[in-house]
Amino acid sequence: MKHSEVKNRIIETASFLFYKNGYNSTGINEIISEAGIAKATLYNHFKSKEEICLAYLKFKNSSFIQDVEDFTTSKPKGKAQVLAIFDFLELFFRDKDFNGCWCIKTVSEIPKDNEIIRAEIQLQKHSFIDLISKLITNNLENVKEAQVKSLARQIYLLYEGAVGESHLHQEDWPIKETKQLCSQIIS
Amino acid sequence: MKHSEVKNRIIETASFLFYKNGYNSTGINEIISEAGIAKATLYNHFKSKEEICLAYLKFKNSSFIQDVEDFTTSKPKGKAQVLAIFDFLELFFRDKDFNGCWCIKTVSEIPKDNEIIRAEIQLQKHSFIDLISKLITNNLENVKEAQVKSLARQIYLLYEGAVGESHLHQEDWPIKETKQLCSQIIS
DNA sequence: AAAATTGAACAGACAAGTCTGTCTTTGTTT
DNA sequence: AAACAAAGACAGACTTGTCTGTTCAATTTT
């Protein structure tokens, strides 16, 4: 196996396990045995478990941003493209591997003073808010420039609430209610 | 110290540590040394760490429900009493011990198949939704009976989103934005 | 006297990370 | 083409330390 392939395999395996079972509950031994690699190989690619955690967050986020962009742009222009993020979430929720937001999960597990992980997570969330901002300016003509930031944040908050609560309750009414609410505020 | 006082001391100490540092990261040894009791005493009151976790969740929730009720009823009747939950959250957020939602934190840490903990958390959230429903029917006369459930859920989702995101970003704009949004939908 | 608490030792599992030494693959040099 | 070298992957033992939960004799409280 190529060098970069091994690294990807580690990231994918660790991501699957971290997301499914939690960061603290997933041991290095579990990762290597699942990935079918040796421990020294893992530590040849990552200098610590925390470094794998960062790679996990980045991996999840880049897939997510890509998927959301693809999904929304496949919808007809206008309000529909904005509301599409909730339809995307509905699909995400129905997936058997759905386990809520990886950022919230990770923040809940790491010590409060871990600035490195926290900074990465805040960065990711801001990139998502930026995506929503772009969706707004591209699709909602009647929204003034000065309102975009606030509106993007509100939609973001609705989305995040829906992710967490649909996961907690294991039901999809949080998605439906927030989509309904979003529809109200963009009309 | 009385028997029940010891038990309360364990619950308070464990709650403080679980909430601050996380459930998995808090060991039994830390709890007993912080509470100043012997390990056998702890296991005389609780048969497992999971049982302490349940007591922790119940302890946090009953304080919370009580505090929210006291705070909202101290405000003038009408819209203000509903919006007061976001002012309450603002105070909660400014508290140095604020660490987000204990339910979300705990759900993020426990195995997916732990039905006992999960059931308790869902119960707590429903009791909070009930509280919001009562706030609506007591304060918003123009809301029809049939709309109460949906509106309560929406306000609940706004609140929960605000808790999680203010914690994640360590800023209070999520609280301000959701309060603004709430104000819009109840007018 | 009965009940509860104490400290300390204990068991057994598991954690992150290091290290030794071997095997395989790749690419370069002769 | 053959010999060689360097890189990286391999298994797995090992260190150091933490974890939950149990046991027990001694002491304190009621």
Side-chain angles (χ1 to χ4, degrees), chain A residues 83-151:
Chain A
L83 290 175
I85 63 172
F86 294 94
D87 301 328
F88 176 83
L89 176 53
E90 184 79 43
L91 291 179
F92 183 25
F93 170 76
R94 289 186 197 284
D95 190 297
K96 69 172 170 46
D97 294 330
F98 176 70
N99 226 330
C101 172
W102 50 92
C103 295
I104 300 284
K105 269 178 81 78
T106 306
V107 163
S108 298
E109 292 207 63
I110 57 160
K112 218 175 176 177
D113 58 7
N114 190 325
E115 303 289 350
I116 298 162
I117 304 275
R118 214 188 191 94
E120 171 62 28
I121 287 172
Q122 290 174 354
L123 198 73
Q124 291 191 3
K125 292 304 185 186
H126 281 118
S127 81
F128 183 40
I129 295 173
D130 287 346
L131 191 158
I132 296 174
S133 295
K134 269 189 283 176
L135 274 176
I136 293 171
T137 50
N138 289 345
N139 290 286
L140 307 176
E141 318 245 319
N142 53 334
V143 177
K144 293 180 202 124
E145 179 66 33
Q147 294 177 313
V148 172
K149 186 175 177 183
S150 175
L151 186 59

Side-chain angles (χ1 to χ4, degrees), chain B residues 31-50:
Chain B
I31 296 172
I32 61 168
S33 95
E34 191 72 22
I37 55 155
K39 196 183 275 194
T41 306
L42 184 145
Y43 279 100
N44 206 23
H45 287 276
F46 299 96
K47 74 170 210 289
S48 67
K49 193 187 179 187
E50 183 183 298

Side-chain angles (χ1 to χ4, degrees), chain B residues 133-148:
Chain B
S133 295
K134 269 189 283 176
L135 274 176
I136 293 171
T137 49
N138 289 345
N139 289 286
L140 307 177
E141 319 246 319
N142 53 334
V143 177
K144 293 179 202 125
E145 179 67 33
Q147 293 177 312
V148 172

